[in-house]
């Protein structure tokens, strides 16, 4: 009887591991064709609070076959309410911060990213993940780049010629500039590695209050960052805070 019970537990664990692998495989494959919604779905659910957003996201990620279009809709549908997210918005004077709001049962991460004056990210990829970024306050400038030497890049109307110029500097590979986009409150940007690389940064040059945006990504521990000379390095992904509490260095 004991052996049968242990056997059932072992099989259950194997089934759960297979299900997780299947979902990850499906999500990676979906990056080959998905490019994003600009407006919420006509008949999609209305999301009025952050709690409703988190509950709806958990529901979407229960299945092996996540409806990426619905995830996009949920992010578009939610309207920013500072009373709901203020406790998660942790700032640092020296760099932008990544603050974990919900770990999504290991299937997604809901983050709030906080940007101070002059802060910006490196040019980076998303480890074959889907990334949605929604502005909660202020505005942000997103720059997109072609992914160097990637064989199956999706051709996007927002991607420039692989040799483009900006400010007199010639770029190629990871340095190929494509579209710039200014994100205002409640705007949603979407990117995956087949669409390219990106970086975010503050628009204002005069001192202004810092502001946050929220991001949802499939969990990953590392990503690739790119220098101006197109050199790629691996960076560990960390959290400045988790669930509203500052993390220690060994807990990031």
């Amino acid at each position: 009887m004991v052996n049968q019970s242990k056997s059932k537990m072992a099989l259950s664990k194997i089934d759960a591991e297979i299900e997780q692998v299947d979902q990850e495989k499906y999500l990676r494959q979906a990056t080959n064709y998905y490019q994003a919604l600009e407006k919420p779905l006509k008949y999609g659910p209305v999301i009025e609070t952050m709690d409703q957003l988190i509950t709806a996201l958990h529901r979407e990620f229960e299945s092996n076959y996540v409806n990426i279009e619905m995830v996009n809709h949920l992010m578009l549908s939610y309207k920013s309410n500072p009373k709901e997210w203020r406790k998660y918005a942790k700032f640092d004077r020296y760099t932008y911060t990544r603050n974990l709001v919900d770990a999504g049962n290991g299937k997604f991460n809901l983050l709030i990213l906080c940007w101070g004056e002059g802060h910006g990210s490196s040019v980076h990829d998303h480890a074959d993940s889907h990334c949605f970024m929604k502005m909660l306050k202020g505005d942000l400038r997103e720059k997109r780049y072609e992914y160097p030497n990637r064989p199956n890049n999706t051709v996007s109307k927002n991607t420039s010629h692989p040799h483009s110029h900006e400010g007199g500097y010639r770029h190629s590979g990871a340095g190929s500039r494509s579209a710039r986009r200014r994100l205002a409150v409640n705007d949603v940007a979407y990117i995956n590695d087949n669409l390219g690389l990106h970086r975010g940064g503050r628009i204002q040059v005069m001192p202004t209050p810092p502001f946050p945006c929220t991001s949802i990504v499939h969990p990953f521990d590392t990503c690739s960052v790119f220098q101006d000379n197109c050199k790629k390095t691996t960076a560990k992904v960390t959290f400045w805070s988790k669930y509203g509490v500052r993390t220690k260095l060994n807990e990031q």
Side-chain angles (χ1 to χ4, degrees):
M1 192 74 172
V2 174
N3 288 338
Q4 286 183 347
S5 177
K6 287 184 177 180
S7 178
K8 287 181 180 179
M9 290 175 63
L11 288 172
S12 176
K13 182 178 180 181
I14 291 171
D15 288 342
E17 290 174 350
I18 291 173
E19 182 177 349
Q20 178 72 11
V21 169
D22 287 347
Q23 187 182 89
E24 290 178 0
K25 181 179 179 181
Y26 169 76
L27 286 169
R28 283 195 298 271
Q29 290 174 340
T31 64
N32 291 324
Y33 62 84
Y34 189 72
Q35 294 198 33
L37 296 172
E38 294 182 357
K39 297 180 180 180
L41 296 169
K42 187 173 182 180
Y43 300 106
V46 176
I47 302 298
E48 296 180 341
T49 68
M50 182 168 279
D51 284 343
Q52 289 180 3
L53 173 63
I54 293 171
T55 298
L57 289 170
H58 275 266
R59 188 181 303 117
E60 288 304 316
F61 280 86
E62 286 177 353
S63 168
N64 267 356
Y65 303 103
V66 180
N67 186 338
I68 301 300
E69 196 170 67
M70 181 57 70
V71 174
N72 198 161
H73 163 83
L74 297 174
M75 295 293 283
L76 285 166
S77 182
Y78 173 69
K79 303 304 179 187
S80 175
N81 181 351
K83 292 180 180 179
E84 297 178 329
W85 50 254
R86 187 177 290 120
K87 65 181 178 180
Y88 303 110
K90 308 295 183 182
F91 293 87
D92 185 281
R93 63 183 297 183
Y94 300 109
T95 183
Y96 83 98
T97 62
R98 302 175 77 254
N99 305 282
L100 183 66
V101 175
D102 192 276
N105 294 327
K107 296 183 176 181
F108 68 89
N109 284 333
L110 183 66
L111 315 172
I112 287 183
L113 282 60
C114 296
W115 308 76
E117 177 61 30
H119 292 169
S121 71
S122 301
V123 179
H124 61 277
D125 71 5
H126 295 86
D128 288 320
S129 171
H130 300 265
C131 176
F132 296 91
M133 187 167 67
K134 180 183 184 75
M135 286 303 305
L136 298 179
K137 183 179 179 182
D139 51 14
L140 190 75
R141 180 176 59 194
E142 181 201 26
K143 295 181 184 178
R144 294 202 175 187
Y145 305 74
E146 292 179 358
Y147 202 120
N149 304 318
R150 190 173 178 91
N152 297 317
N153 276 6
T154 300
V155 177
S156 170
K157 63 182 179 180
N158 292 326
T159 300
S160 68
H161 187 275
H163 298 287
S164 60
H165 293 75
E166 181 179 88
Y169 187 85
R170 184 175 179 82
H171 296 271
S172 62
S176 293
R177 302 291 173 92
S178 61
R180 289 186 177 190
R181 181 181 179 186
R182 178 174 175 170
L183 302 175
V185 175
N186 290 317
D187 283 349
V188 173
Y190 168 80
I191 193 168
N192 65 53
D193 290 350
N194 283 308
L195 294 175
L197 311 170
H198 78 167
R199 76 190 309 170
R202 290 294 302 272
I203 295 173
Q204 294 88 347
V205 294
M206 298 298 290
T208 55
F211 60 85
C213 67
T214 186
S215 178
I216 178 171
V217 296
H218 197 59
F220 50 88
D221 297 323
T222 63
C223 70
S224 296
V225 298
F226 296 79
Q227 308 303 321
D228 285 343
N229 62 1
C230 304
K231 182 180 179 181
K232 181 172 73 172
T233 58
T234 299
K236 183 180 179 182
V237 175
T238 61
F239 300 117
W240 201 93
S241 73
K242 293 181 178 180
Y243 318 117
V245 179
R246 177 70 167 103
T247 54
K248 298 178 182 178
L249 288 177
N250 63 347
E251 296 175 344
Q252 292 184 347

